[in-house]
Amino acid sequence: MKFAPVALSALAISLAACTTANAEPIASSPAAVADAYPMTPEGAANWVAMVEKDLFDFGVEFAQVSWVNSTYITHDTDALAAKYGAVSTEKSVAYAAKAAEYARVPGLDPEVARKLDMLRNGIVMPAPVRDGAATELNEIATSLNSQYGKGRGTLNGEEISGSDIEAEMGNLERTPAEYAEMWESWHNNVGAPMRGDYQRMISIANEGSKELGFSDLGAMWRSNYDMDPDAFAADTERMWQEVKPLYMALHTYVRTKLNEKYGDAIQPATGPIRADLLGNMWAQEWGNIYPLVAPEGAGDLGYDLTDLIEKKGYTEKEMVSVGEDFFSSLGFAPLPETFWERSQFVKPQDREVVCHASAWDVDNVDDLRIKMCIKRNADDFITIHHELGHNYYQRAYNQQDYLHLNGANDGFHEAIGDMIALSITPEYLVQIDMLNPSEVPSAEKDIGLLLRQAMDKIAFLPFGLMVDRYRWGLFSGDIPADQLNAGWNDLRLEYQGITPPVARDESQFDAGAKYHVPGNVPYTRYFLARILQFQFYKAACDQAGWEGPLHRCSFYGNKEVGKNLDAMLEMGASKPWPDALEAFTGERQMSGKAMVEYFAPLKAWLDEQNAGKEQGW
């Protein structure tokens, strides 16, 4: 099985995006391995072929177990997921250890050597080989996933589910006291109880990563990018510095508007922003508060995407059909009928499920699915395009070898659907008959359009970077175990310039209230995706011959773009990511320059608005 990196499975703790194996014994004995797969170039090649078949064969069964566990959370499905996950982890670690041995064989075929690196580097949460370690690791991981899925907060003292609390955090009719209650109750009820289990889990995984030859688990995660782990960390910092001025300008402007709305007692005019006032539980995207910060005269875009969805009367399933149509317009084949039969589009009323949106390819061929609890609003309309990007990527590379059934790097997988979503422009909405041509905003509305985009795209950048910076610090010991919560909030202040609405202490585990942390989903991919989607988008617009402002480009219906995009997607992980990047963009370095170009008019406007105001915190 391969989940797209966004899939956020119950057990994202083995090979890249949850690959698994259990179809047959790795070997009956060390002697059997030596005889069948000797330490020679040919033996290594044959061993890799065996591993790929083993992983592929069992993948479907484990995918089905994980799907049921995510869409029907019970004691029994938790137990099944933990059992399969334990076997998966044991095999993945054993394969990784053996791959490290074969990697030392002289004269290896270059592709075999690269696959050995994938096997060694691709485990997300490796267990050590000692008895019981894999079982304990997977029982904890399953429990954390289940706890998150069952998580509840409160609003005015009444219990509220995770998906509903996300929606209410963006409800501008709520008061600061209500935002603070939801924020605190969610973090206390969901994050704090996980603290001890999470520390135990990463202790086990750190032990496993060291057995595989890494200094710690963070170094292991960073090694999966076809470059030196330290060089990769430096490269992400380079990209952040390219786009950081955009964030700093946005932060200053939004802080001013919140101060005007709430006053100094709630949100001071200088310093950090109160985390619960930004329209999102994690302050990672700020689009829900756009009406509060909209520029005078340009803030009324002339339409509201949520209203347009309601006016069209789209059901949740029909919203997905609109997303499919965009890909069809580029020349991609329709989704299979099983997609519509097997996906979870809405939250069931009769059981607990993991609502966090995810994209699945259950059989590595064509059993594509999404799992969402769709709400008929603009956020979920965009999320649908994101998830479908994973599905079309999965299908494009389904002819590759098993270990190449993945994105060129995990940021690629996240960026494809987001690149499509950037093309949800007013012109596109007219093309699909969602917006009346008379309602298309004029050029003087561009600042409003860009600010609305920036509230999600730019606001996310430091959060996308710091989630893994935090975990890398935990794994390496740079963040001590007795500063688990302080480490999280210190980094959020450093990178995002936000602060909790209430006092926090070391009885808490605020990071656990963000799914990807207890779900063991590496997060740097989302930062890379924010950068890459603009790089891909600019390349697509250039290929389409677009001559207007970059932010108004839509390549809907352009078959040439679709053909070029498919050529990159088909490569999967068969080549190092610079080769895939070059195939579509002509560039070999990930760069924030396209994002800077896209938002250049907004940056100039923000600088004017911020004149004389203190920047930073």
Side-chain angles (χ1 to χ4, degrees):
M1 167 186 81
K2 288 271 183 178
F3 294 167
V6 78
L8 314 179
S9 78
L11 296 162
I13 50 178
S14 49
L15 287 175
C18 213
T19 58
T20 62
N22 190 33
E24 58 190 55
I26 295 174
S28 57
S29 69
V33 172
D35 291 342
Y37 309 108
M39 287 291 165
T40 64
E42 183 179 9
N46 291 337
W47 181 83
V48 167
M50 178 276 293
V51 169
E52 289 193 281
K53 182 179 184 302
D54 191 16
L55 294 172
F56 191 100
D57 288 347
F58 189 67
V60 174
E61 187 176 351
F62 188 34
Q64 291 169 331
V65 168
S66 298
W67 176 266
V68 172
N69 182 232
S70 291
T71 60
Y72 205 111
I73 301 173
T74 69
H75 168 80
D76 295 316
T77 62
D78 279 354
L80 282 170
K83 176 182 177 181
Y84 275 75
V87 174
S88 164
T89 302
E90 287 172 343
K91 285 227 166 181
S92 298
V93 171
Y95 284 150
K98 198 66 182 176
E101 294 181 28
Y102 279 113
R104 295 192 289 268
V105 173
L108 290 172
D109 176 87
E111 187 49 48
V112 171
R114 186 164 180 264
K115 287 182 174 180
L116 290 169
D117 281 344
M118 287 179 169
L119 286 167
R120 175 174 174 263
N121 300 347
I123 304 175
V124 177
M125 294 294 279
V129 296
R130 59 180 171 77
D131 288 347
T135 297
E136 183 181 5
L137 183 68
N138 280 275
E139 286 177 347
I140 295 173
T142 300
S143 173
L144 293 178
N145 188 77
S146 181
Q147 287 178 53
Y148 192 94
K150 297 174 183 177
R152 296 288 187 272
T154 65
L155 174 59
N156 294 318
E158 299 292 326
E159 189 175 89
I160 183 172
S161 70
S163 61
D164 288 341
I165 208 170
E166 286 189 47
E168 288 301 324
M169 287 295 291
N171 182 350
L172 294 179
E173 300 301 315
R174 296 297 176 188
T175 66
E178 289 173 322
Y179 294 138
E181 178 196 357
M182 289 188 286
W183 191 99
E184 183 177 17
S185 64
W186 179 258
H187 283 77
N188 288 355
N189 295 348
V190 176
M194 298 178 175
R195 182 181 171 112
D197 282 347
Y198 185 79
Q199 288 180 299
R200 175 59 182 161
M201 181 177 65
I202 64 172
S203 174
I204 297 170
N206 240 1
E207 183 184 346
S209 67
K210 290 175 181 177
E211 287 188 2
L212 293 173
F214 297 94
S215 59
D216 58 70
L217 187 57
M220 187 172 178
W221 285 11
R222 296 191 300 276
S223 71
N224 208 29
Y225 289 91
D226 291 306
M227 60 194 301
D228 176 80
D230 291 338
F232 174 71
D235 211 31
T236 58
E237 183 63 26
R238 171 189 58 79
M239 286 180 265
W240 166 236
Q241 292 303 322
E242 287 177 337
V243 295
K244 184 177 179 180
L246 291 172
Y247 180 79
M248 299 300 290
L250 181 68
H251 182 281
T252 303
Y253 175 77
V254 169
R255 180 180 61 195
T256 297
K257 291 297 183 180
L258 290 173
N259 173 254
E260 292 172 0
K261 167 71 175 177
Y262 295 116
D264 291 344
I266 301 296
Q267 176 55 60
T270 59
I273 296 174
R274 209 176 95 171
D276 60 323
L277 301 180
L278 290 164
N280 177 274
M281 178 59 71
W282 307 280
Q284 67 182 62
E285 291 169 328
W286 306 347
N288 285 326
I289 67 163
Y290 175 74
L292 297 183
V293 305
E296 185 177 353
D300 179 7
L301 305 184
Y303 72 95
D304 179 272
L305 186 51
T306 297
D307 290 343
L308 296 180
I309 292 166
E310 292 177 358
K311 288 176 182 177
K312 292 294 289 187
Y314 285 140
T315 65
E316 294 83 357
K317 195 171 182 179
E318 286 169 338
M319 290 169 65
V320 181
S321 294
V322 175
E324 179 193 34
D325 177 68
F326 198 116
F327 288 89
S328 296
S329 83
L330 300 179
F332 289 90
L335 292 164
E337 189 59 34
T338 53
F339 172 87
W340 303 101
E341 296 168 354
R342 298 172 184 173
S343 291
Q344 174 187 292
F345 298 118
V346 297
K347 187 180 188 302
Q349 297 300 307
D350 62 338
R351 61 186 186 270
E352 298 285 356
V353 301
V354 176
C355 275
H356 198 102
S358 56
W360 301 54
D361 181 4
V362 173
D363 65 356
N364 292 316
V365 181
D366 212 31
D367 190 354
L368 305 171
R369 310 178 190 182
I370 62 170
K371 176 184 61 59
M372 292 183 64
C373 300
I374 297 172
K375 295 184 184 296
R376 296 169 59 241
N377 59 35
D379 284 350
D380 280 7
F381 186 73
I382 292 169
T383 298
I384 286 165
H385 286 75
H386 176 99
E387 300 304 334
L388 291 181
H390 287 296
N391 285 144
Y392 281 94
Y393 204 165
Q394 289 163 330
R395 185 164 63 179
Y397 58 55
N398 69 9
Q399 298 301 307
Q400 294 289 349
D401 293 346
Y402 186 79
L403 288 173
H404 295 156
L405 293 174
N406 213 334
N409 69 37
D410 51 13
F412 276 62
H413 233 306
E414 301 299 330
I416 297 305
D418 283 348
M419 174 190 72
I420 299 297
L422 283 175
S423 210
I424 303 177
T425 62
E427 288 81 3
Y428 161 65
L429 295 174
V430 170
Q431 287 178 283
I432 63 173
D433 195 33
M434 283 187 72
L435 183 66
N436 189 297
S438 65
E439 297 176 306
V440 173
S442 56
E444 59 265 24
K445 302 287 190 180
D446 278 5
I447 293 302
L449 287 165
L450 286 169
L451 181 58
R452 178 61 186 84
Q453 283 274 37
M455 294 291 284
D456 287 339
K457 302 295 185 182
I458 294 174
F460 178 83
L461 292 168
F463 185 80
L465 197 64
M466 60 78 55
V467 173
D468 277 353
R469 290 286 198 274
Y470 169 72
R471 287 187 287 191
W472 297 347
L474 290 182
F475 302 153
S476 68
D478 289 343
I479 297 176
D482 62 357
Q483 295 178 30
L484 196 71
N485 211 45
W488 171 258
N489 286 308
D490 287 350
L491 279 176
R492 298 202 72 186
L493 179 62
E494 176 185 348
Y495 278 93
Q496 291 183 278
I498 67 166
T499 190
V502 295
R504 311 302 288 164
D505 61 34
E506 286 305 321
S507 68
Q508 308 298 330
F509 178 41
D510 290 346
K514 175 62 180 171
Y515 175 83
H516 302 70
V517 174
N520 299 315
V521 181
Y523 210 77
T524 303
R525 61 186 60 167
Y526 301 105
F527 172 79
L528 297 179
R530 282 301 198 276
I531 298 294
L532 283 167
Q533 65 186 261
F534 287 93
Q535 204 166 353
F536 292 156
Y537 178 74
K538 177 173 168 52
C541 292
D542 289 345
Q543 292 165 24
W546 180 260
E547 296 182 353
L550 183 57
H551 61 273
R552 281 193 174 251
C553 166
S554 177
F555 47 86
Y556 175 80
N558 192 294
K559 298 295 195 295
E560 182 68 17
V561 171
K563 183 183 74 172
N564 295 337
L565 178 61
D566 192 49
M568 177 179 73
L569 302 185
E570 286 179 347
M571 295 170 68
S574 64
K575 301 291 183 183
W577 64 260
D579 293 348
L581 182 65
E582 185 177 30
F584 188 64
T585 69
E587 301 170 316
R588 295 186 61 82
Q589 185 181 65
M590 293 182 287
S591 171
K593 292 178 181 177
M595 188 181 208
V596 171
E597 177 184 344
Y598 183 97
F599 286 109
L602 176 66
K603 176 62 164 58
W605 182 85
L606 287 172
D607 288 345
E608 292 176 1
Q609 306 306 306
N610 294 335
K613 295 183 174 67
E614 182 179 320
Q615 190 176 83
W617 47 86

mmCIF file of all heavy atoms in Angstrom, residues 570-589:
data_model
loop_
_atom_site.group_PDB
_atom_site.id
_atom_site.type_symbol
_atom_site.label_atom_id
_atom_site.label_comp_id
_atom_site.label_asym_id
_atom_site.label_seq_id
_atom_site.Cartn_x
_atom_site.Cartn_y
_atom_site.Cartn_z
ATOM 1 N N GLU A 570 4.375 10.832 -13.883
ATOM 2 C CA GLU A 570 4.660 9.436 -14.217
ATOM 3 C C GLU A 570 6.010 8.972 -13.686
ATOM 4 O O GLU A 570 6.221 7.786 -13.445
ATOM 5 C CB GLU A 570 4.631 9.242 -15.731
ATOM 6 C CG GLU A 570 3.249 9.255 -16.345
ATOM 7 C CD GLU A 570 3.295 9.090 -17.855
ATOM 8 O OE1 GLU A 570 4.404 9.216 -18.436
ATOM 9 O OE2 GLU A 570 2.237 8.835 -18.456
ATOM 10 N N MET A 571 6.942 9.901 -13.489
ATOM 11 C CA MET A 571 8.278 9.541 -13.011
ATOM 12 C C MET A 571 8.231 9.014 -11.581
ATOM 13 O O MET A 571 9.106 8.232 -11.182
ATOM 14 C CB MET A 571 9.208 10.752 -13.081
ATOM 15 C CG MET A 571 9.481 11.253 -14.481
ATOM 16 S SD MET A 571 10.358 12.854 -14.497
ATOM 17 C CE MET A 571 11.960 12.358 -13.840
ATOM 18 N N GLY A 572 7.225 9.424 -10.803
ATOM 19 C CA GLY A 572 7.186 9.024 -9.408
ATOM 20 C C GLY A 572 8.499 9.348 -8.727
ATOM 21 O O GLY A 572 9.053 10.430 -8.887
ATOM 22 N N ALA A 573 9.015 8.373 -7.982
ATOM 23 C CA ALA A 573 10.298 8.543 -7.297
ATOM 24 C C ALA A 573 11.425 7.819 -8.030
ATOM 25 O O ALA A 573 12.447 7.504 -7.432
ATOM 26 C CB ALA A 573 10.192 8.029 -5.864
ATOM 27 N N SER A 574 11.229 7.557 -9.331
ATOM 28 C CA SER A 574 12.214 6.773 -10.076
ATOM 29 C C SER A 574 13.510 7.533 -10.340
ATOM 30 O O SER A 574 14.534 6.926 -10.649
ATOM 31 C CB SER A 574 11.624 6.306 -11.411
ATOM 32 O OG SER A 574 11.320 7.407 -12.252
ATOM 33 N N LYS A 575 13.469 8.855 -10.221
ATOM 34 C CA LYS A 575 14.661 9.680 -10.388
ATOM 35 C C LYS A 575 14.786 10.622 -9.198
ATOM 36 O O LYS A 575 13.799 10.938 -8.536
ATOM 37 C CB LYS A 575 14.572 10.510 -11.673
ATOM 38 C CG LYS A 575 14.415 9.703 -12.957
ATOM 39 C CD LYS A 575 15.677 8.931 -13.280
ATOM 40 C CE LYS A 575 15.517 8.183 -14.605
ATOM 41 N NZ LYS A 575 16.723 7.360 -14.907
ATOM 42 N N PRO A 576 15.983 11.102 -8.893
ATOM 43 C CA PRO A 576 16.111 12.112 -7.841
ATOM 44 C C PRO A 576 15.218 13.308 -8.142
ATOM 45 O O PRO A 576 15.014 13.671 -9.309
ATOM 46 C CB PRO A 576 17.602 12.486 -7.899
ATOM 47 C CG PRO A 576 18.272 11.267 -8.458
ATOM 48 C CD PRO A 576 17.295 10.707 -9.451
ATOM 49 N N TRP A 577 14.719 13.950 -7.083
ATOM 50 C CA TRP A 577 13.729 15.006 -7.283
ATOM 51 C C TRP A 577 14.207 16.157 -8.158
ATOM 52 O O TRP A 577 13.373 16.760 -8.864
ATOM 53 C CB TRP A 577 13.199 15.521 -5.942
ATOM 54 C CG TRP A 577 14.195 16.195 -5.042
ATOM 55 C CD1 TRP A 577 14.841 15.661 -3.971
ATOM 56 C CD2 TRP A 577 14.658 17.554 -5.142
ATOM 57 N NE1 TRP A 577 15.671 16.582 -3.395
ATOM 58 C CE2 TRP A 577 15.573 17.751 -4.092
ATOM 59 C CE3 TRP A 577 14.379 18.618 -6.000
ATOM 60 C CZ2 TRP A 577 16.237 18.965 -3.887
ATOM 61 C CZ3 TRP A 577 15.031 19.836 -5.803
ATOM 62 C CH2 TRP A 577 15.944 19.991 -4.753
ATOM 63 N N PRO A 578 15.497 16.527 -8.183
ATOM 64 C CA PRO A 578 15.873 17.604 -9.108
ATOM 65 C C PRO A 578 15.580 17.262 -10.566
ATOM 66 O O PRO A 578 15.261 18.147 -11.364
ATOM 67 C CB PRO A 578 17.375 17.778 -8.860
ATOM 68 C CG PRO A 578 17.586 17.312 -7.449
ATOM 69 C CD PRO A 578 16.640 16.147 -7.311
ATOM 70 N N ASP A 579 15.662 15.967 -10.920
ATOM 71 C CA ASP A 579 15.343 15.559 -12.286
ATOM 72 C C ASP A 579 13.857 15.761 -12.576
ATOM 73 O O ASP A 579 13.483 16.236 -13.655
ATOM 74 C CB ASP A 579 15.711 14.087 -12.508
ATOM 75 C CG ASP A 579 17.209 13.829 -12.446
ATOM 76 O OD1 ASP A 579 17.982 14.814 -12.452
ATOM 77 O OD2 ASP A 579 17.598 12.657 -12.377
ATOM 78 N N ALA A 580 13.008 15.396 -11.613
ATOM 79 C CA ALA A 580 11.571 15.574 -11.809
ATOM 80 C C ALA A 580 11.216 17.056 -11.859
ATOM 81 O O ALA A 580 10.394 17.488 -12.684
ATOM 82 C CB ALA A 580 10.801 14.879 -10.688
ATOM 83 N N LEU A 581 11.819 17.845 -10.979
ATOM 84 C CA LEU A 581 11.558 19.282 -10.970
ATOM 85 C C LEU A 581 11.944 19.906 -12.311
ATOM 86 O O LEU A 581 11.197 20.699 -12.894
ATOM 87 C CB LEU A 581 12.343 19.945 -9.837
ATOM 88 C CG LEU A 581 12.153 21.446 -9.660
ATOM 89 C CD1 LEU A 581 10.719 21.764 -9.248
ATOM 90 C CD2 LEU A 581 13.131 21.997 -8.621
ATOM 91 N N GLU A 582 13.083 19.514 -12.817
ATOM 92 C CA GLU A 582 13.560 20.050 -14.086
ATOM 93 C C GLU A 582 12.644 19.642 -15.243
ATOM 94 O O GLU A 582 12.432 20.424 -16.184
ATOM 95 C CB GLU A 582 14.992 19.577 -14.357
ATOM 96 C CG GLU A 582 15.627 20.184 -15.587
ATOM 97 C CD GLU A 582 17.070 19.747 -15.773
ATOM 98 O OE1 GLU A 582 17.416 18.614 -15.360
ATOM 99 O OE2 GLU A 582 17.866 20.540 -16.330
ATOM 100 N N ALA A 583 12.080 18.439 -15.167
ATOM 101 C CA ALA A 583 11.232 17.953 -16.248
ATOM 102 C C ALA A 583 10.036 18.855 -16.486
ATOM 103 O O ALA A 583 9.569 19.004 -17.625
ATOM 104 C CB ALA A 583 10.766 16.526 -15.946
ATOM 105 N N PHE A 584 9.515 19.498 -15.426
ATOM 106 C CA PHE A 584 8.325 20.341 -15.582
ATOM 107 C C PHE A 584 8.642 21.826 -15.551
ATOM 108 O O PHE A 584 8.007 22.617 -16.251
ATOM 109 C CB PHE A 584 7.303 20.014 -14.494
ATOM 110 C CG PHE A 584 5.976 20.697 -14.679
ATOM 111 C CD1 PHE A 584 5.177 20.418 -15.794
ATOM 112 C CD2 PHE A 584 5.509 21.606 -13.752
ATOM 113 C CE1 PHE A 584 3.958 21.047 -15.977
ATOM 114 C CE2 PHE A 584 4.282 22.249 -13.922
ATOM 115 C CZ PHE A 584 3.503 21.960 -15.035
ATOM 116 N N THR A 585 9.630 22.214 -14.741
ATOM 117 C CA THR A 585 9.894 23.651 -14.557
ATOM 118 C C THR A 585 11.156 24.143 -15.249
ATOM 119 O O THR A 585 11.346 25.351 -15.395
ATOM 120 C CB THR A 585 10.030 23.987 -13.061
ATOM 121 O OG1 THR A 585 11.251 23.406 -12.546
ATOM 122 C CG2 THR A 585 8.836 23.462 -12.269
ATOM 123 N N GLY A 586 12.050 23.205 -15.624
ATOM 124 C CA GLY A 586 13.333 23.608 -16.193
ATOM 125 C C GLY A 586 14.350 24.013 -15.142
ATOM 126 O O GLY A 586 15.460 24.439 -15.491
ATOM 127 N N GLU A 587 14.009 23.880 -13.863
ATOM 128 C CA GLU A 587 14.893 24.268 -12.762
ATOM 129 C C GLU A 587 15.239 23.047 -11.913
ATOM 130 O O GLU A 587 14.455 22.111 -11.828
ATOM 131 C CB GLU A 587 14.216 25.327 -11.884
ATOM 132 C CG GLU A 587 13.841 26.591 -12.638
ATOM 133 C CD GLU A 587 12.959 27.529 -11.830
ATOM 134 O OE1 GLU A 587 12.013 27.047 -11.177
ATOM 135 O OE2 GLU A 587 13.209 28.735 -11.861
ATOM 136 N N ARG A 588 16.388 23.086 -11.273
ATOM 137 C CA ARG A 588 16.832 21.955 -10.459
ATOM 138 C C ARG A 588 16.910 22.289 -8.970
ATOM 139 O O ARG A 588 17.327 21.459 -8.170
ATOM 140 C CB ARG A 588 18.201 21.449 -10.945
ATOM 141 C CG ARG A 588 18.161 20.857 -12.353
ATOM 142 C CD ARG A 588 19.492 20.227 -12.736
ATOM 143 N NE ARG A 588 19.869 19.129 -11.869
ATOM 144 C CZ ARG A 588 19.409 17.869 -11.985
ATOM 145 N NH1 ARG A 588 18.517 17.570 -12.931
ATOM 146 N NH2 ARG A 588 19.831 16.928 -11.166
ATOM 147 N N GLN A 589 16.508 23.476 -8.586
ATOM 148 C CA GLN A 589 16.531 23.884 -7.182
ATOM 149 C C GLN A 589 15.148 24.358 -6.783
ATOM 150 O O GLN A 589 14.522 25.162 -7.477
ATOM 151 C CB GLN A 589 17.545 25.002 -6.968
ATOM 152 C CG GLN A 589 17.721 25.418 -5.511
ATOM 153 C CD GLN A 589 18.735 26.548 -5.358
ATOM 154 O OE1 GLN A 589 18.521 27.661 -5.833
ATOM 155 N NE2 GLN A 589 19.838 26.253 -4.676
#
